[in-house]
Amino acid sequence: MSEGMLSKVRKLLAKAEDPACTPAESAALTAKATDLIARYGVDSALLAACDPATDPVGDRLVDVPAPYARDKAGLLAAVADPMRCRCVRRRNGSGFEMHLFGFASDLERVDVLFTSLLVQAAQGLAGTPVPPGVHVAAFRRTWLAGFAQTVGERLRAAEEAAAGQVTGESYALVLVDRTDRVQRRVAEAYPRLRTAPRRRLAGGGFGTGAEAGRRADLGGRRVPTPSSARRLPGRSSAAEG
């Protein structure tokens, strides 16, 4: 992502996270930032269609340690899927190692978003009291599930809106080709891949987490490091290797 674009989305993120920012102002900043990062994805895809060398298919590993490793992995999958990246979840001690596949520009967008969302989720959990008599871990898992699901829905809507602004049918074909190429790369690396089973969670935090996901800023993100997934204490659609 260009420094100019990154600077813009970072500024939007800083404003949206300011305690003095009203919910309406935060929502407006979030919408603007999300639009910027989605349009960046469109521009990268169109450029790569003319010059494939500008945006090659690649992969990277993300360490997702305990606690709540499965829930953090679910958040990563919720971010990656709307951006046409694929995740393979691998057990790594008490946590997971997520193997991400996608085009370079999309992997970058996933990294940037996931890093910030981990911080936002940690802040949201810390500020959400667990109701009396409710199991703490169960509440937090459902909170994180609600947060991840809502974030994923918002990202998918933003990606579709950005794609809808491109005239003609050629971009739709570009997206199909990009999706196919990523899937082929996954199949080459994991010929015996199986889909992870859906989790059944019991707890009362889903609605509160979903509301936090609606408020989450999906714009500016700090460039992540391999240890960025360590920041969050506590449902994944990722495949398992």
Side-chain angles (χ1 to χ4, degrees), residues 159-239:
E159 292 292 307
E160 291 175 353
Q165 295 175 11
V166 182
T167 58
E169 298 181 359
S170 60
Y171 184 61
L173 296 176
V174 168
L175 293 185
V176 171
D177 178 67
R178 285 169 74 89
T179 299
D180 288 345
R181 289 176 63 186
V182 171
Q183 192 57 49
R184 288 199 300 270
R185 182 67 174 268
V186 175
E188 290 171 0
Y190 296 95
R192 293 186 173 183
L193 196 64
R194 63 187 180 86
T195 302
R198 294 185 63 85
R199 298 175 71 196
R200 293 185 178 182
L201 298 175
F206 188 92
T208 308
E211 180 57 35
R214 282 187 283 272
R215 297 192 305 268
D217 189 293
L218 306 183
R221 306 293 179 256
R222 300 159 187 82
V223 177
T225 63
S227 61
S228 62
R230 302 179 188 278
R231 299 179 183 177
L232 179 68
R235 177 179 96 166
S236 171
S237 59

Side-chain angles (χ1 to χ4, degrees), residues 12 14-30 215 217:
L12 290 168
K15 290 179 180 179
E17 291 182 346
D18 190 332
C21 189
T22 68
E25 291 170 339
S26 181
L29 290 166
T30 298
R215 297 192 305 268
D217 189 293

Side-chain angles (χ1 to χ4, degrees), residues 73-78 81 87 89 98 195-198 235-240:
L75 176 59
L76 178 54
D81 189 65
C87 302
R89 190 179 68 201
M98 298 290 280
T195 302
R198 294 185 63 85
R235 177 179 96 166
S236 171
S237 59
E240 292 184 319

Side-chain angles (χ1 to χ4, degrees), residues 50-68:
C50 299
D51 184 3
T54 63
D55 197 16
V57 179
D59 65 294
R60 62 185 61 182
L61 297 175
V62 179
D63 182 36
V64 184
Y68 302 104

